[in-house]
Amino acid sequence: MTTRLTEFFGIEHPILSAPMALISGGRLAAAVTSSGGLGLIGGGYGDSDWLQREFALADGERVGCGFITWSLARKPELLDETLERQPATIMLSFGDLQPFAEQIRAAGVPLIAQVQTLDHARQALDAGAEILAAQGGEAGGHGMTVRSTFTLVPDVVDLAAERAPETLVLAAGGVADGRGLAAALVLGAD
């Protein structure tokens, strides 16, 4: 299956694993990548030893990494350490992307911004994110006031198409099988 996402990352399937904080480790990320998607290590709350170990467990597979942005602000050196590894992408979640966006772009690494609202999506576009991950309340219950994934995705797709058509949009939360993937694609997700 070919989508803008598969072409962007050179992957076989339009699937990225979520970088769940301290849960999505190197083995899981490597398994997703070796299966034709793109795996992301969950850097989450920021622990250098954990990140080093998990990148080693990825065993040389091409993987990305995600951080909780407000936590990364407490240990910005973790971004330096991660960018030195030339990850496939960096995903930032739950905070201001602006302090990190330029450094990520300068390293030539695509920035994914997890967004839960249209305001978050606007801020991510302003920060220059190449990819928006439209995350609904089904994604681990984060932000229980957040809309459902399948009502949020088409609105984020429309906003991105209007403001920055080259920006990719992912559906995050509640996509667990082929039907969910098909529904996300029909709603305009990449």
Side-chain angles (χ1 to χ4, degrees):
M1 171 181 298
T2 301
T3 70
R4 293 190 317 161
L5 182 68
T6 62
E7 291 176 348
F8 187 88
F9 284 116
I11 57 179
E12 184 179 350
H13 307 294
I15 297 173
L16 274 63
S17 63
M20 298 174 285
L22 303 177
I23 300 296
S24 298
R27 286 189 180 133
L28 175 61
V32 171
T33 296
S34 68
S35 297
L38 180 62
L40 277 75
I41 294 172
Y45 299 103
D47 179 273
S48 182
D49 292 338
W50 189 88
L51 274 172
Q52 288 177 26
R53 182 181 70 241
E54 296 307 320
F55 270 104
L57 289 172
D59 200 28
E61 287 285 349
R62 183 172 168 250
V63 298
C65 189
F67 291 100
I68 295 171
T69 312
W70 56 261
S71 182
L72 184 60
R74 295 178 184 160
K75 296 182 182 177
E77 66 277 7
L78 294 177
L79 182 59
D80 297 326
E81 292 174 23
T82 301
L83 290 174
E84 287 175 11
R85 299 176 180 280
Q86 286 298 299
T89 187
I90 295 286
M91 180 186 282
L92 298 179
S93 308
F94 307 120
D96 185 10
L97 313 175
Q98 209 62 45
F100 308 106
E102 185 57 40
Q103 181 182 359
I104 294 167
R105 270 195 306 279
V109 175
L111 171 58
I112 301 174
Q114 186 181 82
V115 301
Q116 294 82 24
T117 68
L118 288 177
D119 281 340
H120 292 164
R122 287 182 194 96
Q123 292 166 16
L125 291 170
D126 290 344
E130 287 93 342
I131 302 170
L132 305 177
Q135 182 191 52
E138 300 90 337
H142 292 295
M144 291 308 289
T145 60
V146 174
R147 297 166 54 181
S148 164
T149 300
F150 292 111
T151 63
L152 179 61
V153 166
D155 286 346
V156 173
V157 166
D158 290 346
L159 175 68
E162 177 185 311
R163 291 200 44 201
E166 68 285 353
T167 304
L168 304 180
V169 177
L170 309 179
V175 182
D177 58 17
R179 291 184 299 180
L181 175 61
L185 294 170
V186 167
L187 293 173
D190 293 293

